[in-house]
Amino acid sequence: MMMRTKLLLATGIALLAAGPVCAKTPEQIAAAALAAAPVFDGHNDVPEQLRDRRKNVLGDFDFRDTTKTGDPATGIGAMMTDLNRLRAGKVGAQFWSVYVSASLPEPQAVQATLEQIDVMKRVIARYPADLQLCTDSTCVEAAWKAGKIASLLGMEGGHSIGGSLAVLRQMHALGARYMTLTHFKNLAWAESATDVPMAQGLTPLGKDVVREMQRLGVLVDLAHVSEKAMLEVLAVAKAPVIVSHSNARAVNHHPRNVPDSALDAIKANGGIVMINFFPAYVVEDTRQYNARRSGEEARQKALGTGNPDAVKAAMAQWDKDNPLPTGGLADVVAHIDHIAQRIGIDHVGLGGDMDGIDNTVKGMEDVSKYPVLFTELARRGYSQADLEKIASRNMLRVMKGAEAYAKAHQGDAPIENATTF
């Protein structure tokens, strides 16, 4: 006992001599979290930029640095994503959105989706030292260990499968690992958040789409769907779902955001909501601004019938007098706070929507800015363990849950639907 007492006293004296233990700064907490768990972002639209800017012809496209891809003469801004900035942003895994317009006829949408899968695979193959194509969580973790950015493919909108479960299976075979059920328009089988309400959020075919996705191991994405559709999906789903790039409707009332009723169901499902950085979905003042601007534009068109130049001049003046409010990091944190307080930190992730939006909240202008957000979260009291969950541990858990369900049901017969032509 005497020996132990002497040892404890000596240890205490040594600690006192060494001085007080310094608490980590928010920057240090954020850095430690991102070193242990790099960002796994749920939605980036680089493939869309390749289609719009380059018609999917890569040629001399340099993905290491896209900061000079803007064209001020035409008002086109530079891309928000490149390898240098992904590295600076501590991004370790990225779902690349193979988005195509919901206005395309479905057969064309299927072709365009195939083209987008192709172009993103070609980009990934060009940079083998930096990017690794992945289709499961095991590959994601292996890519991290190898110092690469795990690159996964997600389809944005059910029009990408043309109403066909057979096409869904083929998209899965090509590597697609999530599908957003709708985009801005309704489908015959699913209701969008931004279109005319349907009799059902999800038709019998829509329920079969969800079931077949989960049998295959394709994550069901509820971004863009209506509250009614969200709840009907969650009543059918047996594996965790994602909301790849949306926010909390209690903070910003945009219909694209997730209401508390769906948040509660997502908690029960074990899913995740991945926070978006587009001001119209983040900042309620921005949503209200957009409504005012639409009203003013309608007024000017009514007053200036037959004189489009006058309407254009009037709106230019209105824009000058009424700058767009874009918000900042505090507005993003408000959504994280609400979801974490409502359903728990285990259900929060990030889906910035970079290169799919024309502006962001201040402070999150491109993919290099994630450490800034994590530092702000640390400053507000989020622990390193919390930050690791938000960065990637939550998303990995969801992926593994969906994969486990698919493995358990790999012997189930494919769900069939009849061809339409």
Side-chain angles (χ1 to χ4, degrees):
M1 179 65 76
M2 180 70 72
M3 196 67 135
R4 185 179 177 209
T5 302
K6 287 181 177 179
L7 180 61
L8 289 171
L9 285 169
T11 302
I13 291 167
L15 288 171
L16 286 171
V21 176
C22 295
K24 287 184 177 179
T25 66
E27 290 79 6
Q28 291 170 327
I29 294 169
L34 293 174
V39 172
F40 190 158
D41 182 89
H43 195 89
N44 183 297
D45 278 295
V46 158
E48 178 187 359
Q49 296 301 317
L50 296 174
R51 189 177 193 87
D52 290 348
R53 294 168 186 258
R54 305 183 61 90
K55 307 303 180 188
N56 285 348
V57 177
L58 295 180
D60 60 354
F61 175 68
D62 184 1
F63 196 42
R64 294 181 185 86
D65 182 356
T66 65
T67 56
K68 294 180 174 61
T69 54
D71 184 358
T74 58
I76 296 174
M79 290 175 63
M80 301 172 178
T81 310
D82 55 38
L83 293 177
N84 292 339
R85 286 179 286 177
L86 286 166
R87 293 296 194 183
K90 309 301 179 185
V91 177
Q94 181 66 67
F95 259 111
W96 303 106
S97 171
V98 291
Y99 160 82
V100 300
S101 172
S103 298
L104 288 173
E106 287 192 341
Q108 290 183 27
V110 172
Q111 176 182 330
T113 302
L114 294 171
E115 292 169 350
Q116 296 312 102
I117 289 174
D118 171 78
V119 76
M120 200 60 217
K121 282 185 173 181
R122 286 189 284 128
V123 170
I124 294 165
R126 276 190 169 200
Y127 301 93
D130 295 288
L131 302 176
Q132 181 171 333
L133 180 66
C134 285
T135 58
D136 59 35
S137 58
T138 299
C139 177
V140 170
E141 292 176 307
W144 289 351
K145 289 179 182 177
K148 299 180 183 181
I149 300 166
S151 294
L152 305 97
L153 305 176
M155 298 181 286
E156 188 173 15
H159 53 294
S160 292
I161 63 168
S164 169
L165 297 177
V167 173
L168 169 65
R169 287 187 284 272
Q170 296 312 303
M171 294 298 188
H172 170 263
L174 290 171
R177 286 300 178 268
Y178 80 58
M179 184 171 75
T180 317
L181 296 187
T182 69
H183 196 246
F184 281 114
K185 293 187 176 183
N186 294 336
L187 299 174
W189 49 269
E191 182 181 78
S192 170
T194 48
D195 204 345
V196 178
M198 298 167 57
Q200 297 171 284
L202 209 62
T203 69
L205 173 58
K207 292 176 183 179
D208 278 346
V209 170
V210 171
R211 294 185 183 105
E212 187 68 350
M213 288 174 69
Q214 297 203 318
R215 186 190 72 81
L216 293 166
V218 177
L219 291 163
V220 177
D221 178 18
L222 301 183
H224 285 286
V225 306
S226 69
E227 178 178 5
K228 183 165 52 178
M230 288 181 187
L231 295 175
E232 291 183 14
V233 168
L234 288 160
V236 172
K238 303 297 184 184
V241 305
I242 68 171
V243 190
S244 67
H245 58 304
S246 296
N247 299 316
R249 197 178 298 179
V251 179
N252 177 309
H253 303 303
H254 199 289
R256 268 276 282 105
N257 287 336
V258 186
D260 285 350
S261 61
L263 287 179
D264 295 342
I266 287 168
K267 178 180 182 179
N269 164 267
I272 186 172
V273 180
M274 309 182 85
I275 300 301
N276 184 307
F277 304 143
F278 186 41
Y281 305 152
V282 176
V283 185
E284 178 63 16
D285 282 350
T286 307
R287 190 179 80 93
Q288 296 290 341
Y289 169 94
N290 288 337
R292 290 193 301 274
R293 190 184 188 284
S294 294
E296 178 63 19
E297 188 172 30
R299 188 177 79 90
Q300 291 296 342
K301 285 180 178 179
L303 292 172
T305 302
N307 191 351
D309 289 342
V311 174
K312 184 177 179 180
M315 289 309 300
Q317 185 62 47
W318 192 92
D319 289 338
K320 182 178 179 180
D321 295 340
N322 299 273
L324 175 73
T326 57
L329 293 175
D331 298 291
V332 175
V333 172
H335 289 271
I336 294 172
D337 285 346
H338 179 81
I339 296 169
Q341 291 163 13
R342 179 85 187 191
I343 62 173
I345 196 70
D346 291 341
H347 304 280
V348 184
L350 299 173
D353 207 2
M354 295 296 188
D355 278 308
I357 51 181
D358 52 15
N359 55 51
T360 67
V361 296
K362 292 177 183 175
M364 297 302 299
E365 289 81 8
D366 59 51
V367 296
S368 72
K369 305 298 184 183
Y370 288 100
V372 177
L373 174 60
F374 280 86
T375 298
E376 181 64 20
L377 289 167
R379 186 173 290 115
R380 290 165 179 261
Y382 283 80
S383 69
Q384 180 177 331
D386 292 337
L387 299 184
E388 290 181 18
K389 288 181 177 183
I390 294 170
S392 55
R393 298 203 188 282
N394 290 341
M395 186 59 194
L396 274 177
R397 172 188 59 77
V398 167
M399 276 194 78
K400 290 177 179 180
E403 290 163 2
Y405 179 87
K407 184 176 181 180
H409 292 270
Q410 62 186 354
D412 295 359
I415 300 172
E416 298 180 321
N417 70 314
T419 57
T420 56
F421 60 89

